[in-house]
């Protein structure tokens, strides 16, 4: 036996208010939308039909109600029963259930949104020469239908009687604000209490005497929307989506994690001013205002429905933003430099995927290098092999040393920098880019002659014994700058060996046995290097010192100095050893001074 569903209207209204619509304010958007669709339908049959929407707030009606009149196509009595009392139906659907192209409404639930602010909705409507029909719906779920006095012309009037404590939603100030917010760009004559509220033309389609005047007008419009003067304005157009509009470049930095929200109109009715996913993710430095005829809204009509058309639209808008950047680079380098000072992160994020933006970054974005702040294009013309560090601290430690050895070093420790460097081969196939391994840097240092090596034999023996507890290997070389006495270098092999040793020490049971069986001893032998600089006067004197205790204390102190200058954290045992070394050296100096 078949049964029909029974719908709890109050429950449906609660569902709409809590989960579908973000605010009761959307009730006026839905009323406007229904009126616009009714007028559009009548125009399709009669191009000379009037196109008026008159809204009377409760102050105008005088009886506490809000009325909205339209000169649209109206409804017959069967349509009233079918469309106003059946949740999920819509006058804008064809026989296959798809929304027809020229209408805003798609879900047949717009009128229900009025129950967010009203306990009773009255619809007075006439279609063509048919009789006037009066439909009254109540929030408790029942409705009545009767014939009313004949209207002078086809159209519909909706009357709302406010719910308790919701009178302000039907008041003049709120209604004017909401109608301007949602409907100011509608192509029809919309009035509140007799006062016109629509502008009738899209700001980016308005005629101006010359391009500069147009640009200034659009920048003023953008300033009104952003509450600050935009950096620039970019025209947008995607014909297949029926989309036109403008993108405003923000005058302040917006991070990749910021949620870009845009102002979107559908068929000139405002869908929302916090719509996401309109522009590509990398375009977080823009805010756009667009009108689209073909894009589809979600059920709440507050976001766009994710489909192939929206995806292709985003791609087209991204291409137009890229074209603007490239054009700026070729026609106004000063403006591009100003833009990059604010939005270089966004451009670099784009450069990871787009060769043209990679060219912009290569020529215009300065990177920290061993030769100062330099654009990559200039730096790679000087160096055919470019090394980079993976952290800012490592760059700070090694930049001066690399410069002294003639190595082209770039700081790759910031967001995108390392990835950008790895992509430079797309612009310059012969360029070699590799991450700097500190062990490789040590091979660039000069070895000592045999006499100096022999004289330093005892020093190195003491240094090895002292550093053995630190899992560190002493090396004596000559390098610039001479002012640097010692350098701590931990290559990738040493880092891997340290990780393996730690894992083996902390593992127990079966995991410990597995690691013991599968880690080769040669994989554990690599150690960080403590490179002593023989060109440094202090180190040169230390290598000829005969007092082994002084050498041991000095090596321990220089080890701590190397870690600190390399921005490395000292473990508790190292702090204790370094403190002891300094105190020991002070004691030695005092003892010698007292003799």
């Amino acid at each position: 036996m078949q049964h029909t569903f029974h719908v709890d209207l109050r429950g449906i209204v609660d569902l709409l208010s809590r989960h579908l619509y973000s605010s009761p304010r959307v009730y006026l958007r839905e009323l406007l939308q229904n009126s616009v669709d009714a007028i559009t339908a009548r125009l399709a049959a009669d191009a000379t039909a009037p196109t008026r929407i008159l809204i009377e707030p409760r102050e105008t009606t005088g009886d506490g109600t809000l009325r909205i009149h339209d000169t649209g196509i109206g409804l017959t009595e069967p349509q009233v029963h079918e469309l106003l009392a059946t949740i999920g139906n819509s006058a804008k659907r064809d026989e296959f259930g798809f929304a027809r192209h020229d209408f805003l409404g798609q879900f047949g639930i717009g009128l229900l949104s009025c129950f967010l602010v009203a306990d009773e909705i009255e619809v007075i409507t006439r279609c063509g020469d048919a009789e006037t029909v009066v439909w009254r719906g109540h929030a408790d779920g029942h409705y009545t239908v009767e014939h009313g006095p004949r209207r002078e012309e086809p159209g519909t009037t909706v009357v709302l009687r406010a719910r308790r404590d919701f009178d302000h939603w039907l008041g003049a100030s709120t209604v004017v604000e909401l109608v301007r917010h949602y409907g100011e760009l509608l192509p029809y004559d919309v009035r509140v209490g007799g006062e016109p509220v629509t502008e009738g033309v899209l700001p980016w389609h308005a005629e101006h005497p010359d391009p500069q005047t147009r640009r200034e007008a659009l920048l003023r419009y953008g300033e009104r929307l952003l509450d600050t003067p935009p950096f620039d304005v970019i025209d947008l157009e995607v014909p297949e989506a029926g989309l036109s509009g403008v993108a405003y470049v923000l005058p302040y930095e917006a991070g990749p994690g910021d949620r870009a929200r845009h102002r979107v109109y559908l068929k000139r009715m405002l869908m929302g001013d916090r719509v996401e996913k309109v522009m590509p993710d990398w375009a977080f430095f823009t805010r756009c205002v667009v009108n689209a005829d073909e894009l589809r809204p979600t059920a709440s009509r507050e976001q766009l429905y994710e489909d192939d058309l929206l995806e292709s639209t985003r791609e087209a808008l991204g291409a137009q933003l890229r074209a603007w950047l490239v054009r700026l680079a070729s026609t106004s380098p000063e403006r591009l430099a100003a833009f990059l000072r604010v939005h270089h992160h966004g451009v670099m994020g784009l450069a990871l995927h787009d060769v043209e933006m990679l060219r912009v970054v290569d020529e215009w974005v300065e990177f920290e290098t061993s030769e100062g702040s330099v654009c990559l294009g200039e730096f790679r013309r000087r160096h055919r092999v470019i090394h980079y560090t993976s952290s800012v601290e490592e760059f700070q430690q090694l930049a001066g040393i690399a410069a002294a050895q003639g190595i082209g070093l770039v700081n790759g420790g910031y967001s995108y920098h390392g990835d950008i460097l790895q992509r430079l081969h797309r612009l310059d196939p012969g360029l070699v880019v590799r991450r700097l391994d500190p062990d490789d840097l040590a091979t660039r240092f000069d070895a000592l002659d045999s006499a100096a090596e022999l004289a330093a034999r005892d020093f190195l023996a003491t240094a090895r014994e002292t550093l053995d507890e630190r899992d560190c290997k002493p090396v004596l070389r000559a390098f610039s700058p001479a002012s640097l006495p010692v350098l701590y270098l931990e290559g990738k092999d040493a880092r891997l060996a340290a990780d393996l040793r730690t894992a083996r020490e902390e593992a127990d049971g079966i995991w410990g046995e597995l690691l013991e069986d599968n880690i080769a001893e040669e994989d554990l032998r690599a150690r960080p290097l403590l490179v002593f600089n023989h060109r440094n006067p202090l180190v040169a004197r230390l290598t000829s010192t005969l007092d082994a205790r002084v050498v041991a204390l000095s090596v321990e102190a220089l080890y701590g100095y190397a870690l600190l200058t390399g921005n490395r954290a000292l473990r508790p045992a190292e702090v204790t050893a370094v403190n002891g070394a300094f105190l020991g050296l002070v004691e030695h100096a005092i003892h010698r001074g007292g003799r």
Side-chain angles (χ1 to χ4, degrees):
M1 182 176 180
Q2 290 186 336
H3 299 275
T4 58
F5 287 102
H6 296 279
V7 177
D8 178 358
L9 186 59
R10 180 64 74 183
I12 291 293
V13 172
D14 183 67
L15 178 67
L16 293 178
S17 63
R18 293 178 183 271
H19 302 290
L20 185 61
Y21 295 122
S22 60
S23 164
R25 62 190 283 138
V26 300
Y27 89 91
L28 203 44
R29 182 192 69 190
E30 299 297 325
L31 285 176
L32 269 178
Q33 174 182 288
N34 287 341
S35 293
V36 170
D37 285 342
I39 291 173
T40 302
R42 187 175 177 189
L43 287 174
D46 178 8
T48 63
T51 57
R52 297 188 305 274
I53 300 173
L54 174 62
I55 303 172
E56 298 178 282
R58 60 187 179 88
E59 291 89 344
T60 303
T61 61
D63 60 2
T65 65
L66 176 139
R67 295 172 178 260
I68 176 168
H69 313 267
D70 68 62
T71 58
I73 196 168
L75 299 173
T76 64
E77 185 172 349
Q79 288 173 331
V80 165
H81 285 282
E82 178 185 1
L83 302 172
L84 300 187
T86 306
I87 296 173
N89 209 346
S90 172
K92 281 80 73 172
R93 295 180 184 271
D94 61 25
E95 68 245 38
F96 299 104
F98 294 105
R100 288 194 307 210
H101 172 273
D102 291 329
F103 302 107
L104 289 163
Q106 297 184 38
F107 300 95
I109 57 175
L111 193 64
L112 286 180
S113 67
C114 295
F115 282 121
L116 298 175
V117 299
D119 276 328
E120 180 182 316
I121 304 171
E122 181 178 72
V123 178
I124 308 163
T125 183
R126 174 191 157 203
C127 179
D129 294 329
E131 291 187 272
T132 300
V133 180
V134 180
W135 176 93
R136 292 186 181 89
H138 301 267
D140 61 6
H142 79 277
Y143 72 92
T144 62
V145 176
E146 61 186 43
H147 292 156
R150 184 174 179 84
R151 293 171 59 104
E152 293 183 6
E153 62 178 0
T156 300
T157 299
V158 178
V159 183
L160 302 186
R161 291 177 174 81
R163 295 170 58 184
R164 184 177 179 181
D165 298 328
F166 278 73
D167 289 348
H168 65 284
W169 286 105
L170 310 187
S173 60
T174 300
V175 170
V176 169
E177 176 194 349
L178 294 179
V179 174
R180 287 192 185 278
H181 181 70
Y182 289 112
E184 67 175 351
L185 299 185
L186 287 171
Y188 305 141
D189 181 16
V190 182
R191 296 172 181 263
V192 177
E195 294 297 320
V197 295
T198 49
E199 298 180 4
V201 63
L202 298 172
W204 48 91
H205 286 167
E207 292 190 8
H208 297 280
D210 54 72
Q212 183 59 31
T213 303
R214 176 180 181 272
R215 171 181 164 80
E216 291 171 356
L218 288 175
L219 287 173
R220 287 194 298 272
Y221 179 66
E223 182 174 359
R224 193 181 82 191
L225 297 178
L226 299 176
D227 293 326
T228 186
F231 178 85
D232 207 349
V233 58
I234 307 163
D235 279 301
L236 303 174
E237 188 168 2
V238 185
E240 59 267 31
L243 182 146
S244 66
V246 290
Y248 290 104
V249 180
L250 298 177
Y252 51 83
E253 184 176 10
D258 294 349
R259 301 176 71 178
R261 295 182 172 94
H262 308 283
R263 191 177 186 90
V264 176
Y265 294 82
L266 292 184
K267 299 178 179 67
R268 301 179 63 165
M269 170 77 76
L270 180 66
M271 185 181 82
D273 50 11
R274 300 174 68 82
V275 181
E276 302 176 9
K277 303 297 184 180
V278 180
M279 305 292 278
D281 290 341
W282 54 260
F284 49 79
F285 53 85
T286 63
R287 297 293 182 268
C288 70
V289 186
V290 298
N291 177 65
D293 294 334
E294 305 295 338
L295 297 179
R296 293 194 294 159
T298 58
S300 67
R301 286 192 281 278
E302 296 180 357
Q303 296 295 331
L304 289 170
Y305 184 77
E306 193 70 44
D307 58 12
D308 291 342
L309 180 57
L310 180 57
E311 178 63 27
S312 64
T313 298
R314 271 197 296 265
E315 292 176 2
L317 295 176
Q320 291 169 39
L321 285 185
R322 287 195 297 269
W324 170 79
L325 280 168
V326 173
R327 186 167 60 252
L328 204 64
S330 61
T331 61
S332 184
E334 299 82 7
R335 290 273 294 161
L336 177 65
F339 167 78
L340 291 175
R341 282 195 292 271
V342 179
H343 294 297
H344 64 282
H345 284 110
V347 174
M348 290 182 68
L350 173 57
L352 296 180
H353 312 284
D354 185 89
V355 172
E356 288 303 318
M357 287 305 97
L358 183 62
R359 294 186 195 281
V360 171
V361 170
D362 182 59
E363 290 298 325
W364 296 101
V365 176
E366 292 187 345
F367 280 58
E368 287 185 8
T369 77
S370 50
E371 298 174 5
S373 293
V374 181
C375 293
L376 291 178
E378 179 181 349
F379 196 70
R380 63 184 174 82
R381 285 188 282 272
R382 301 179 195 170
H383 299 276
R384 299 308 298 158
V385 177
I386 293 179
H387 293 82
Y388 69 94
T389 62
S390 58
S391 70
V392 175
E393 293 77 16
E394 189 177 35
F395 175 81
Q396 292 171 344
Q397 179 191 13
L398 302 179
I401 300 165
Q405 317 310 313
I407 298 173
L409 185 64
V410 179
N411 186 353
Y414 296 114
S415 298
Y416 304 126
H417 284 214
D419 294 328
I420 291 290
L421 290 165
Q422 290 288 0
R423 281 180 56 83
L424 286 178
H425 71 276
R426 300 290 299 274
L427 306 180
D428 190 348
L431 183 70
V432 176
V433 177
R434 62 169 66 108
R435 178 178 169 182
L436 179 69
D437 190 324
D439 285 347
D440 295 337
L441 186 61
T443 64
R444 300 291 192 99
F445 298 157
D446 295 333
L448 275 61
D449 58 43
S450 57
E453 193 79 48
L454 181 63
R457 184 176 55 187
D458 293 340
F459 164 79
L460 285 173
T462 303
R464 276 192 292 271
E465 183 179 344
T466 302
L467 295 175
D468 187 57
E469 296 181 24
R470 311 284 169 243
D471 284 330
C472 186
K473 178 182 177 182
V475 176
L476 186 60
R477 295 287 187 271
F479 58 89
S480 297
S483 59
L484 185 66
V486 68
L487 181 65
Y488 182 87
L489 297 177
E490 185 179 27
K492 60 179 183 296
D493 291 340
R495 285 192 293 270
L496 175 60
D499 291 341
L500 291 175
R501 287 195 298 271
T502 301
R504 194 169 70 170
E505 290 168 2
E506 294 179 351
D508 54 15
I510 188 171
W511 298 112
E513 294 176 8
L514 284 172
L515 289 175
E516 192 74 34
D517 294 338
N518 288 279
I519 297 178
E521 282 302 318
E522 54 265 25
D523 293 333
L524 303 174
R525 290 173 185 160
R527 295 289 190 274
L529 302 179
L530 189 64
V531 186
F532 292 90
N533 186 4
H534 196 264
R535 289 180 185 161
N536 180 268
L538 175 64
V539 172
R541 290 176 57 191
L542 189 62
T543 59
S544 60
T545 300
L546 299 178
D547 190 331
R549 182 170 180 273
V550 170
V551 171
L553 291 173
S554 299
V555 167
E556 196 76 74
L558 288 171
Y559 172 78
Y561 169 84
L563 292 179
L564 293 173
T565 55
N567 295 302
R568 296 175 181 274
L570 274 68
R571 292 170 292 188
E574 292 168 339
V575 172
T576 300
V578 170
N579 286 340
F582 278 112
L583 292 175
L585 289 171
V586 170
E587 181 184 359
H588 175 76
I590 292 174
H591 178 72
R592 287 194 60 187
R595 285 191 302 177

